Amino acid sequence: QQRRNLLADIAHELRTPMTVIQGATEGMLDGVYPADPEHLEPVLDHTRVMARLLDDLQTLSTAEAGALRLHREPTDPEELVRDAIAAIRPRAEAARLRLGMRVPAGLPALDIDPMRMGEVLANLLQNAVRHTPPGGSVTVTVELDGEAVAFSVADTGPGIPPELLGQVFDRFVKTADSGGAGLGLAIARSLVEAHGGTIAAESLPGRGTTIRFTLPASPPASG
């Protein structure tokens, strides 16, 4: 049943871009409208949507199979957060949101793949910014948690509906006003777990959402 649901979800997500591409291409071939930038750009945009979906599915399936190659290197947690916030800042400012970070001094370096964990933080920040109304705030907090380093991304948005909270890390699960295919948090969970960490969501309607993940402060015994 899960396999059938997954295939149905993939077909649903691919149908819209395929319809746009087919309609636009047929229209240009039939001479209904010219093959100019105005009509070609939507075709290119929707091919990018399909490519992103396929890349996400490949990352997810590889990570879940335990075959994801991680290029680990010593990484400063503060630098990881600063880079992620710098990338999202223009979007946050355009949405009139406050961005903040709380990172104490003296945190240990992490033996992680900085590109992959940067993807996780970027995804969490994008979600937080998307769901936070103007005047709200998004804050990233890092702290030592036993033998792990914990990262939290908290927003002041409307929160996740209680009936979805337990499913937010499943594939293709998303709220009605979400963009994308609903794969971002599933990928985040797979990447965090591939590093030997854990991830969880806390949310109360009307009081915002916090996504928290931990990463081992030292390399796993298996290397």
Side-chain angles (χ1 to χ4, degrees):
Q1 184 61 45
Q2 289 178 335
R3 187 161 53 247
R4 285 195 294 269
N5 291 344
L6 174 62
L7 291 173
D9 288 334
I10 294 171
H12 174 76
E13 292 296 331
L14 289 174
R15 186 172 292 113
T16 296
M18 279 296 297
T19 299
V20 172
I21 292 169
Q22 181 177 351
T25 305
E26 288 177 349
M28 285 182 277
L29 287 173
D30 293 342
V32 177
Y33 36 74
D36 57 13
E38 179 184 353
H39 296 96
L40 287 170
E41 284 175 4
V43 174
L44 184 58
D45 287 343
H46 282 82
T47 59
R48 289 179 178 136
V49 169
M50 294 175 65
R52 186 165 59 248
L53 174 62
L54 295 173
D55 285 345
D56 286 350
L57 285 167
Q58 184 175 32
T59 298
L60 191 58
S61 62
T62 304
E64 290 182 347
L68 186 68
R69 292 185 61 188
L70 297 176
H71 301 283
R72 294 178 181 267
E73 59 184 72
T75 303
D76 179 6
E78 181 176 0
E79 183 178 346
L80 193 69
V81 172
R82 286 193 183 280
D83 288 347
I85 285 183
I88 198 70
R89 188 174 296 283
R91 184 171 171 183
E93 290 178 347
R96 291 180 292 158
L97 302 179
R98 297 184 302 277
L99 275 179
M101 60 178 285
R102 292 196 289 265
V103 184
L107 289 172
L110 299 170
D111 186 52
I112 60 173
D113 184 327
M115 187 188 75
R116 291 298 191 182
M117 294 315 303
E119 291 175 11
V120 172
L121 273 174
N123 176 267
L124 299 185
L125 283 167
Q126 288 167 7
N127 284 348
V129 167
R130 182 185 302 123
H131 293 291
T132 303
S137 64
V138 175
T139 305
V140 182
T141 303
V142 187
E143 58 190 345
L144 197 60
D145 183 6
E147 296 183 354
V149 174
F151 296 75
S152 298
V153 177
D155 64 56
T156 57
I160 300 170
E163 65 273 15
L164 289 182
L165 187 57
Q167 308 169 42
V168 292
F169 296 107
D170 294 342
R171 303 176 193 177
F172 296 104
V173 171
K174 56 183 178 178
T175 57
D177 60 345
S178 292
L183 289 175
L185 288 180
I187 292 173
R189 178 178 64 180
S190 293
L191 292 177
V192 169
E193 291 179 348
H195 283 81
T198 61
I199 189 168
E202 297 179 1
S203 185
L204 291 173
R207 297 184 61 182
T209 299
T210 298
I211 306 292
R212 185 177 189 270
F213 65 90
T214 63
L215 296 171
S218 56
S222 60

